[in-house]
Amino acid sequence: MREDLLHFLWRYQKFDEAPLQTTTAEMVYVLDKGQPNSGSGPNFLMAQIQIGSIRFAGAVELHLSASHWYQHGHHKDPAYDNVILHVVWEDDLSIRLPSGQCIPTLELRHSTDKELLATYQKNFIKTHQNPPCSPFVKSLPTPLWKHWRERLYLERLEERIQAIDIRLEELNNDWEALLFERMARGFGLNRNGESFEKMAQSFSFSVLRKQAGTATQLEALFYGQLNMLPKTTTHPYTSSLVDHYAYLKHKYQLEPLVGIQPTFGRLRPSNFPTIRLAQLAQLYYQTPALLAGALNAKKLLGLRLFKQVSVTDYWQSHYHFEGQKSKTQGRRRTLTPSFQSLLILNALLPVLYAYSKWEGKDRSEWLFEQLETLPLEENQCINHYESIGFHAESALDSQAILQLQSNYCEKKKCLKCALGFHILKQTQ
């Protein structure tokens, strides 16, 4: 037995036809099962239960074992003083309120619909399919998925906001500085995201604000902090970077990062750290107040500030410092729509959402509109869910699927998932 199934049994009153009785043999009549409580406190609120000849109004608490009441510390919490019925799978201990009064207990293991238990075990617990509900996916109503995917994405954002709030406090509520760190990580992608983020954190954002007069100054700052500048150079461009960085290092008492070196391995040339840092420098040279610009945008994908980003002349024809000119000389190394989409998904939207909550504004509709304009992400997980019948068209779908897989399907939390909940209801 799992606790999510116990909640399902009570919420939908899936019991045998025999009358319900407390563990002390008093008749139980459920007049109103109550409302599920998603916050702290008892599991169901505003319930109405008749026990024997007495009618009670209050809360209902559910546990797999009655003794969990004490394990969870409910006997010390005044929020549980109004519990009128303790619903358990196994009654292994008599429970009392601080006043000494026994709480009526309803044990469900002998009163539960056996067919439902068998269906749940077969289709959700014992199955080896991923996700467990694979055979039922094609029959799910489209509106159900559209509503659930929004909740899944907001849940995904809320998880990210915890880290954002901690870092924001460390930055003294400087939202632009926070966004710069997130954008730096985004430009680094999976391979160099961490080193780029550490680079962004290695100096005060006020330094960037003061040195954003030219892209070259920002390039010198970024490359210098990551120890990427050549020791000796003959090219005028690289010489200027070395000189600029020496000046910045002295002026702002900068300390280059130790033991952190971006990698070029297993990367396409367009994703080399030299190119991505040059693009990041261009972005902040052109738009140092990036958050303000994004907040006023109706559509983020293809935003003018992204379209303007390219690289300085040297990086139009090189991939490495002091290296040979590349065969793709002459191509504009701009931010592709797919790369813009990654930046928006992983850096921009989480910060914008957190900022909206901080302001006390609800931008959820605008948020979903942005997601539906972003292309569907491609990876093995998304491809698998599409193959079993999930209708995925945009980044909203793919982000929701990633959250679904990691937080529900892998952990078999089927009855905490709107889809699994619906399937079990329909199979009875």
Side-chain angles (χ1 to χ4, degrees):
M1 173 55 63
R2 294 165 62 103
E3 196 162 297
D4 53 1
L5 179 57
L6 193 65
H7 282 239
F8 179 87
L9 295 174
W10 178 256
R11 185 171 181 178
Y12 291 98
Q13 300 290 288
K14 296 289 186 178
F15 311 129
D16 290 336
E17 293 182 2
L20 298 175
Q21 290 185 327
T22 67
T23 53
T24 56
E26 294 181 278
M27 301 300 295
V28 176
Y29 303 95
V30 182
L31 307 176
D32 187 334
K33 62 184 178 295
Q35 297 297 315
N37 177 23
S38 59
S40 60
N43 298 121
F44 286 80
L45 306 176
M46 299 182 290
Q48 295 186 44
I49 310 291
Q50 183 174 323
I51 302 175
S53 60
I54 303 176
R55 184 169 177 168
F56 296 89
V60 174
E61 177 67 6
L62 282 67
H63 286 124
L64 294 180
S65 299
S67 57
H68 289 175
W69 178 278
Y70 292 114
Q71 291 181 24
H72 297 171
H74 298 335
H75 60 296
K76 301 176 182 178
D77 190 343
Y80 291 83
D81 288 349
N82 70 334
V83 170
I84 58 174
L85 184 65
H86 193 201
V87 179
V88 302
W89 184 251
E90 180 183 12
D91 180 41
D92 62 340
L93 188 66
S94 178
I95 303 301
R96 295 178 180 271
L97 291 171
S99 63
Q101 179 183 357
C102 281
I103 303 176
T105 300
L106 174 64
E107 186 181 55
L108 291 185
R109 61 176 173 161
H110 301 302
S111 305
T112 299
D113 186 327
K114 303 302 185 292
E115 184 180 344
L116 181 143
L117 285 178
T119 300
Y120 177 72
Q121 288 289 329
K122 176 184 176 182
N123 293 332
F124 295 108
I125 302 303
K126 293 184 178 179
T127 180
H128 297 293
Q129 298 195 68
N130 178 35
C133 63
S134 295
F136 306 95
V137 166
K138 291 182 180 179
S139 63
L140 291 171
T142 300
L144 176 67
W145 169 243
K146 287 187 177 294
H147 177 68
W148 181 229
R149 66 178 184 169
E150 293 182 357
R151 288 176 56 193
L152 285 168
Y153 181 69
L154 290 178
E155 183 182 289
R156 190 172 178 82
L157 280 182
E158 289 294 341
E159 291 175 0
R160 294 184 178 187
I161 281 179
Q162 295 177 19
I164 287 175
D165 288 343
I166 293 171
R167 183 57 184 156
L168 182 65
E169 186 174 350
E170 295 170 348
L171 292 169
N172 297 317
N173 289 339
D174 190 333
W175 284 94
E176 291 288 359
L178 174 71
L179 181 56
F180 170 60
E181 293 180 1
R182 296 286 162 155
M183 291 297 288
R185 187 178 186 95
F187 269 84
L189 298 170
N190 289 335
R191 298 284 289 163
N192 288 311
E194 185 175 355
S195 61
F196 278 27
E197 184 176 29
K198 288 186 181 300
M199 177 277 296
Q201 294 173 344
S202 69
F203 54 85
S204 169
F205 189 66
S206 62
V207 174
L208 184 148
R209 287 188 173 106
K210 293 172 183 176
Q211 301 306 138
T214 68
T216 304
Q217 290 177 325
L218 294 182
E219 288 175 353
L221 178 62
F222 298 166
Y223 293 132
Q225 287 300 95
L226 282 168
N227 287 296
M228 294 177 68
L229 294 173
K231 301 300 180 185
T232 59
T233 178
T234 57
H235 195 285
Y237 165 74
T238 51
S239 295
S240 69
L241 289 182
V242 171
D243 292 341
H244 275 306
Y245 183 65
Y247 170 76
L248 295 174
K249 184 179 178 183
H250 173 75
K251 180 176 181 179
Y252 297 109
Q253 298 297 296
L254 300 176
E255 291 292 336
L257 294 169
V258 177
I260 297 174
Q261 191 71 33
T263 181
F264 288 77
R266 291 187 294 170
L267 288 174
R268 294 178 179 178
S270 59
N271 286 329
F272 280 178
T274 46
I275 302 302
R276 289 307 185 195
L277 286 172
Q279 291 171 334
L280 180 64
Q282 279 285 324
L283 176 64
Y284 274 88
Y285 160 59
Q286 295 170 4
T287 318
L290 185 59
L291 181 69
L295 282 169
N296 295 323
K298 291 184 178 180
K299 183 179 177 182
L300 295 178
L301 187 62
L303 198 61
R304 184 169 177 268
L305 59 89
F306 285 141
K307 284 184 175 181
Q308 294 177 147
V309 173
S310 182
V311 291
T312 46
D313 291 342
Y314 181 84
W315 296 114
Q316 294 286 3
S317 57
H318 291 80
Y319 286 115
H320 299 274
F321 284 108
E322 305 295 300
Q324 293 182 344
K325 287 190 175 183
S326 67
K327 296 180 181 179
T328 58
Q329 181 179 356
R331 293 185 186 176
R332 292 187 68 238
R333 293 174 179 171
T334 55
L335 303 184
T336 63
S338 61
F339 188 73
Q340 290 180 43
S341 181
L342 286 175
L343 291 176
I344 293 168
L345 275 175
N346 297 320
L348 197 52
L349 282 181
V351 173
L352 290 176
Y353 178 72
Y355 183 76
S356 298
K357 290 194 70 174
W358 184 72
E359 278 191 314
K361 295 181 179 179
D362 182 6
R363 286 194 175 95
S364 56
E365 287 303 316
W366 175 84
L367 184 77
F368 295 134
E369 288 174 6
Q370 300 305 311
L371 284 163
E372 291 189 311
T373 66
L374 301 181
L376 182 72
E377 298 162 271
E378 291 188 15
N379 57 48
Q380 289 184 345
C381 178
I382 307 303
N383 293 341
H384 171 67
Y385 274 73
E386 280 194 290
S387 71
I388 63 172
F390 271 83
H391 187 60
E393 296 179 330
S394 68
L396 177 54
D397 294 295
S398 53
Q399 287 283 295
I401 286 171
L402 292 173
Q403 184 72 3
L404 181 67
Q405 170 63 15
S406 62
N407 278 29
Y408 295 87
C409 302
E410 284 183 1
K411 301 173 183 177
K412 290 196 173 182
K413 291 185 175 180
C414 302
L415 292 184
K416 291 188 180 295
C417 167
L419 308 183
F421 209 94
H422 173 83
I423 290 166
L424 192 57
K425 271 187 66 180
Q426 297 304 308
T427 54
Q428 293 299 304

